[in-house]
Amino acid sequence: HDTIDMQKRGVPTALVASTPFVDLARRNAGYQGIPDLAVVEAPHPIGGVDPKVIRQRAAAMVDKALSALVAQEQAPKSRA
């Protein structure tokens, strides 16, 4: 819920979810009023994977996460 709270406060956010949880993350964001929340998909599994592999996976996701954050920052702000 931290991601949703930050997004509602106007802080650009991107949620990282492993493959089996991406749909759940998007549905939950929609239920919380943020249907367009940026979700960056991480390969599954995460637990029990060699830290070196996790670092490689994370490095491969950085551009997607940064693009999502920059796009939010550049989007016109709605008036509340």
Side-chain angles (χ1 to χ4, degrees):
H1 292 188
D2 292 341
T3 304
I4 300 293
D5 291 340
M6 302 264 306
Q7 186 74 34
K8 286 182 176 180
R9 292 180 189 157
V11 178
T13 58
L15 176 74
V16 176
S18 64
T19 305
F21 300 102
V22 168
D23 288 339
L24 176 63
R26 288 191 173 121
R27 262 194 324 270
N28 187 49
Y31 297 150
Q32 299 293 324
I34 312 288
D36 57 348
L37 179 70
V39 178
V40 178
E41 186 173 339
H44 192 76
I46 294 173
V49 177
D50 184 286
K52 184 176 180 178
V53 173
I54 295 296
R55 283 191 292 278
Q56 291 169 342
R57 291 179 183 179
M61 294 185 305
V62 167
D63 286 341
K64 290 179 185 178
L66 287 175
S67 293
L69 296 171
V70 169
Q72 292 171 49
E73 194 59 30
Q74 293 174 346
K77 305 293 183 209
S78 62
R79 291 187 174 183

